[in-house]
Amino acid sequence: MQITTTAVSLTVEDVTTSAAFLQRHFGYTEQMSADGFVSLAHAGGGVNVVYLRRGLEVLPEDQRHRIADGVILAFVVEDIAAEERRLREEGVVITLPLREEPWGEKLFQVVDPNGVVVELVEWAERQ
């Protein structure tokens, strides 16, 4: 099997607002969309993001009315402090301020309009 693309699919109330959030603040572009569906990709690679509106029949029956609860969409970046400043300047609320973990991970979090947690991560160089 050869995997050509990887995507994460998140169920939300309003696909348009979540898609606009990733487009405006994280550089994603829309690849395709329909009523209750939008697929986004990033020119830099990484994972594609698909948003599905809660209740769609394409979702497994036992999951149609659940939302992306407990999911963290994490992006590894360079110069995390600059990214935090940029997002603050763009008016994005930082819900978990920049911090460094003992194992060398620097991170902070924001939340999109549907409550999806987006985490930016930078790994410290190992010595």
Side-chain angles (χ1 to χ4, degrees):
M1 168 176 59
Q2 180 179 355
I3 297 173
T4 60
T5 305
T6 300
V8 61
S9 180
L10 304 170
T11 305
V12 296
E13 290 289 339
D14 183 346
V15 298
T16 304
T17 59
S18 282
F21 186 80
L22 283 190
Q23 290 171 328
R24 179 174 180 211
H25 300 296
F26 296 97
Y28 273 78
T29 58
E30 183 179 302
Q31 299 301 294
M32 62 182 82
S33 64
D35 183 35
F37 162 83
V38 66
S39 177
L40 304 168
H42 196 279
V47 67
N48 289 1
V49 178
V50 173
Y51 290 108
L52 297 170
R53 184 180 61 233
R54 188 171 68 93
L56 287 180
E57 289 185 13
V58 70
L59 294 165
E61 190 173 346
D62 65 335
Q63 296 180 21
R64 283 185 193 151
H65 297 287
R66 298 177 67 188
I67 57 169
D69 186 33
V71 173
I72 295 176
L73 187 57
F75 301 129
V76 177
V77 299
E78 295 177 2
D79 197 355
I80 196 164
E83 292 298 332
E84 184 192 34
R85 278 191 308 277
R86 177 186 64 81
L87 288 169
R88 281 187 193 278
E89 289 170 3
E90 292 176 4
V92 176
V93 176
I94 307 299
T95 55
L96 179 67
L98 183 60
R99 59 189 284 163
E100 185 168 354
E101 300 297 342
W103 52 87
E105 176 185 28
K106 294 179 184 177
L107 64 99
F108 71 93
Q109 295 176 347
V110 302
V111 177
D112 90 347
N114 282 290
V116 176
V117 176
V118 179
E119 179 175 279
L120 276 73
V121 177
E122 180 179 30
W123 294 98
E125 291 186 32
R126 294 183 184 209
Q127 299 181 14

